[in-house]
Amino acid sequence: MVKPGAAAKRASDGAETRATRGGSPRLRSVDGVAPDAGTEAEEGALALDRLIHERMRLGIVSALAVNDRLTFNDLKALLQTTDGNLSVHARKLEDAEYLTCEKSFDGRVPRTEYRLTAAGRRALEKYLVHMEAIIKAVRD
């Protein structure tokens, strides 16, 4: 018989073991040549826009790329997330000037609308081109 919580303990033990073994991902060699620090392969991987690469922020930017504007509640429902999670990620994108936020009132109800900026659209396009190049390189 398994004690309650035993599975959670085993899972956390494994996570600690991975972390103590240096569980961070390493660059693998390509054609038998290990990438050195500062190589073109590593710089290309680091060139990904980390701001957009995060799942929730990619979802926000992608949704706004195909919609002129979306309200906070529209984005929240579309991305199936919480108020706090959405507001934190939207603020990061706003700070980077990838989107604008307009706050108004619809009667007495607050209304927050987001729009993708030109800089945000360019960043998304650059990110997509980069991801397509990575996928092509893996397939070749």
Side-chain angles (χ1 to χ4, degrees), residues 47-107:
L48 273 175
D49 186 339
R50 301 300 300 171
L51 190 66
I52 291 180
H53 189 63
E54 201 288 326
R55 185 186 72 82
M56 184 60 62
R57 292 190 291 260
L58 181 59
I60 293 168
V61 171
S62 298
L64 290 170
V66 296
N67 293 283
D68 182 45
R69 63 181 68 214
L70 288 171
T71 66
F72 182 88
N73 287 330
D74 291 340
L75 277 171
K76 185 175 120 176
L78 183 66
L79 300 172
Q80 299 177 349
T81 190
T82 62
D83 289 5
N85 196 22
L86 179 58
S87 64
V88 166
H89 289 295
R91 176 61 57 104
K92 286 187 182 286
L93 292 167
E94 187 180 1
D95 290 345
E97 299 181 356
Y98 284 2
L99 58 84
T100 60
C101 172
E102 290 180 25
K103 296 182 182 252
S104 62
F105 284 90
D106 188 9

Side-chain angles (χ1 to χ4, degrees), residues 27 38-50 130 134:
L27 293 174
T39 64
E40 190 175 320
E42 186 178 355
E43 289 169 9
L46 296 176
L48 273 175
D49 186 339
R50 301 300 300 171
H130 192 140
I134 290 171

Side-chain angles (χ1 to χ4, degrees), residues 105-116:
F105 284 90
D106 188 9
R108 291 185 174 196
V109 179
R111 181 178 175 90
T112 303
E113 285 191 336
Y114 295 102
R115 296 182 76 158
L116 193 62

